[in-house]
Each structure stands twice: as structure tokens, then as C-alpha cells.
Amino acid sequence: MKIIITGATGLVGSEVVRQAIASERITQALVLTRKPLPEDIPQSAKVAVVEHKDFAAYPPEIMEQLAGAEGCVWAIGGRATQFPDVETARRVHVDYSVAAAKAFIAELAPKLPEPQKFRFVFCSGKFAEWDQEKPLKWLKDTRLIKGQAEKALCDLADANKDRLEVWAVRPGGIVKKHAGLMNALTAYTSGFITVDHLAKATLKIVLDGHADRILEADALLKM
């Protein structure tokens, strides 16, 4: 399967690239990125870097480089506090992911053999909240923004049922894969997940789909 990966300079996205290289079922990974890949990502003929400066727009020259892709693991994002302001966080999570999904619906999905649909896996977070009016006491902006992105993508899939499938993964927290035995055990017993486990889970979903559209931390840990 030929897939698109975003967020490859971050913790999750870079690990998705590594696991894609290792997977016999991934034939090519098209890495959509603003920056060069981290040096610790192995060189591989399976990886094609597509430099993209504006994630709000997908001109023909970008779509030509993404031709043939059948799915996407979208790993751009983070906590709202990691961005300059809430609106920037919202733009990155919601506007960018929706713009990409719309472009994939318009340009990539029609070229897939029927009845295949384009698959989009969105890396969200635990406690993401769809109800934008719900009062929240902690991590309010992060939870609402991720929930808004999830809902927008799911609404888009519902409106394009013959072209797009969407899943959102909600890890409770992410631990580096070499965090040590005690940290790893603490992570699993606390509902957290190691980054390599999460990356493998996202690839399994993009390859095989899943019965549940929203996958919470416990479901990811079982994959």
C-alpha cells in the first residue's frame, strides 16, 4: 500500500515513517513535510519526501507527487499550549487536516479501484471533545480543538461515503520506545502507549481499517 505520512519531524510521525519502512505491506511512504527528515530515520527507497510549505492548500504540483496514495496517517499536532495561541493550534489541527482530506477526496480517491476508499487516520488525543459548548475544567483548548478536528473529518467522510474513510486514534499519553522497562510498565498500566506501538497501530488501521471510527487508548493497546 502506498501511503502519505505527515508530522514526520515529530515524535509520532517520525516513528510512523520508521515502522512504514519496516512493514512489508507498505510499498511506499510519501512524507509530506516542511522540513528535512530527522537524521535518525533510516534511508530507504520506500520513502519519498514531498516538501510542502502551506498545509492549507494543495496545488497540482503537490498532488502530482502524491498520486497513487491510498491512505494517510496524519500526525501533525500537539497540545494547544505548544502553539503560539489557540487560533494557531486550531488552524493546524482543524483547517490543515480538513484541507488535506478534501484534496485527497477530490484528487486521489477517484483514481482508486471501486469500491476502495481513501483511508485517513487522524492522530488525536485522549478526552477529545466534540461538543464545543461543553464546559471543561482541564486541557480545555486541546480537547475541544482535537474534538473539532475529529468531528469535521468524520462529517466529511459521512458526506463522501463512497470516497473517504476516517479513523481517529486517542492515545492517553505517548512514551518513547526506549524509555526503559519501568517507564514502559508505568505507561501501559496508566493507559499510555509507547510510540512504536502507536505507530504500528496507525499503520494497521490504514492498511486494514477498523470497525470503530474512534479508537481510545485501551483499544490501541490491544492492537
Side-chain angles (χ1 to χ4, degrees):
M1 186 179 193
K2 188 175 184 178
I3 66 169
I4 299 163
I5 301 171
T6 68
T9 57
L11 176 65
V12 176
S14 61
E15 187 62 26
V16 175
V17 176
R18 293 185 191 94
Q19 296 299 332
I21 292 170
S23 172
E24 294 182 356
R25 297 179 64 192
I26 301 297
T27 57
Q28 189 171 19
L30 303 173
V31 181
L32 197 60
T33 180
R34 284 195 182 97
K35 304 174 185 177
L37 296 185
E39 293 182 357
D40 60 349
I41 291 181
Q43 296 290 320
S44 172
K46 291 171 68 171
V47 175
V49 175
V50 179
E51 292 189 10
H52 189 34
K53 300 301 182 184
D54 182 7
F55 279 79
Y58 289 81
E61 58 268 26
I62 293 296
M63 296 310 300
E64 287 172 7
Q65 296 179 74
L66 301 178
E70 303 166 75
C72 173
V73 176
W74 191 270
I76 296 175
R79 296 184 300 277
T81 53
Q82 295 174 301
F83 295 86
D85 51 60
V86 172
E87 287 313 309
T88 300
R90 193 180 311 281
R91 181 169 66 254
V92 170
H93 286 84
V94 183
D95 297 352
Y96 288 178
S97 61
V98 170
K102 287 181 176 179
F104 301 160
I105 289 170
E107 300 294 336
L108 301 181
K111 297 178 175 65
L112 297 175
E114 295 185 359
Q116 186 178 352
K117 305 172 188 179
F118 190 89
R119 290 175 170 169
F120 194 105
V121 180
F122 177 73
C123 294
S124 185
K126 192 173 184 179
F127 304 119
E129 179 54 60
W130 285 28
D131 183 356
Q132 298 297 295
E133 302 302 321
K134 186 173 182 178
L136 301 174
K137 294 183 178 180
W138 50 279
L139 296 176
K140 175 182 176 181
D141 292 328
T142 297
R143 294 168 62 189
L144 290 178
I145 288 171
K146 290 184 182 293
Q148 184 181 0
E150 288 183 5
K151 185 178 186 304
L153 290 167
C154 289
D155 286 347
L156 199 57
D158 290 341
N160 297 272
K161 292 184 177 180
D162 59 335
R163 291 190 176 187
L164 180 69
E165 294 178 289
V166 166
W167 291 271
V169 297
R170 293 179 173 179
I174 304 165
V175 179
K176 293 181 180 180
K177 61 180 178 180
H178 300 304
L181 178 60
M182 290 307 297
N183 284 340
L185 289 173
T186 300
Y188 279 103
T189 56
S190 303
F192 285 27
I193 190 169
T194 55
V195 67
D196 54 322
H197 192 149
L198 175 60
K200 290 175 184 177
T202 63
L203 290 177
K204 180 171 177 55
I205 296 164
V206 82
L207 285 164
D208 299 326
H210 198 280
D212 300 320
R213 179 178 268 183
I214 306 295
L215 288 98
E216 301 286 356
D218 58 344
L220 295 171
L221 288 169
K222 293 175 183 177
M223 295 181 69

